[in-house]
Amino acid sequence: MRIVIQRVSKASVSIGGEVFSSIEKGLLVLLGIESSDIQEDIDFLIKKIVNLRVFDDENGVMNKSVMEVAGEILCVSQFTLYALTRKGNRPSYIKAARPEISVPIYEKFCADLSRALGKDIKTGEFGAEMQVELINDGPVTILIDSKIKE
């Protein structure tokens, strides 16, 4: 699994010109899934997301987690995180999991993330043509791959 985490002052997902979900202060998580992903990958990334200290403390130092600031999370499926670009100019998405594999993993990931956060998270709609709007606060953008645990 791969994620892109962006600290946001607000973010939303629109489908067909209508806002589907939105958050205020918190994290926008873009989630890419490959067919070899298992519960261990989910657990690793969720622990990182809820504990990542990317919010400012009273001294202006990034020292607080999304849980500590009572932030929200918006999680959006993003198969393009597995784009292969070495050959030519058209990305290949062969490493991204097919929907029959990725949909249940995405749903499990979101349910487990809600449980870990202690409140409902917001999501996009899997497979839909979505427009994601955000105000990246900082900017803070972090990439994490569950297969690279350094």
Side-chain angles (χ1 to χ4, degrees):
M1 274 181 187
R2 289 183 182 157
I3 58 173
V4 173
I5 298 173
Q6 295 181 303
R7 185 179 75 183
V8 298
S9 53
K10 64 180 174 178
S12 65
V13 172
S14 295
I15 301 171
E18 299 289 322
V19 174
F20 181 79
S21 60
S22 64
I23 64 168
E24 294 298 319
K25 179 180 181 176
L27 300 174
L28 170 63
V29 177
L30 304 175
L31 173 66
I33 299 167
E34 66 177 332
S35 57
S36 66
D37 289 331
I38 58 174
Q39 186 65 44
E40 181 181 317
D41 298 291
I42 293 172
D43 295 342
F44 173 77
L45 290 177
I46 287 174
K47 185 176 179 184
K48 284 290 187 187
I49 292 167
V50 299
N51 292 303
L52 202 61
R53 297 179 347 188
V54 294
F55 291 91
D56 291 348
D57 63 15
E58 54 284 345
N59 298 313
V61 177
M62 286 196 290
N63 205 25
K64 291 192 173 192
S65 71
V66 68
M67 292 180 67
E68 292 171 303
V69 299
E72 298 181 275
I73 295 177
L74 172 58
C75 185
V76 178
S77 171
Q78 184 77 53
F79 76 93
T80 59
L81 291 178
Y82 277 100
L84 299 174
T85 58
R86 286 196 172 182
K87 293 182 182 178
N89 293 316
R90 183 175 179 190
S92 167
Y93 303 105
I94 196 160
K95 286 193 68 174
R98 308 266 320 141
E100 58 272 13
I101 293 170
S102 55
V103 170
I105 293 174
Y106 173 69
E107 290 172 352
K108 177 79 165 107
F109 184 91
C110 291
D112 289 359
L113 183 53
S114 281
R115 203 167 12 266
L117 187 62
K119 62 183 176 183
D120 289 341
I121 67 162
K122 302 292 178 72
T123 66
E125 183 177 306
F126 192 94
E129 183 71 28
M130 297 176 275
Q131 291 72 49
V132 179
E133 206 170 341
L134 68 132
I135 297 177
N136 189 323
D137 182 24
V140 174
T141 302
I142 297 172
L143 305 152
I144 305 174
D145 189 314
S146 66
K147 306 294 193 247
I148 304 170
K149 296 179 177 104
E150 297 175 355

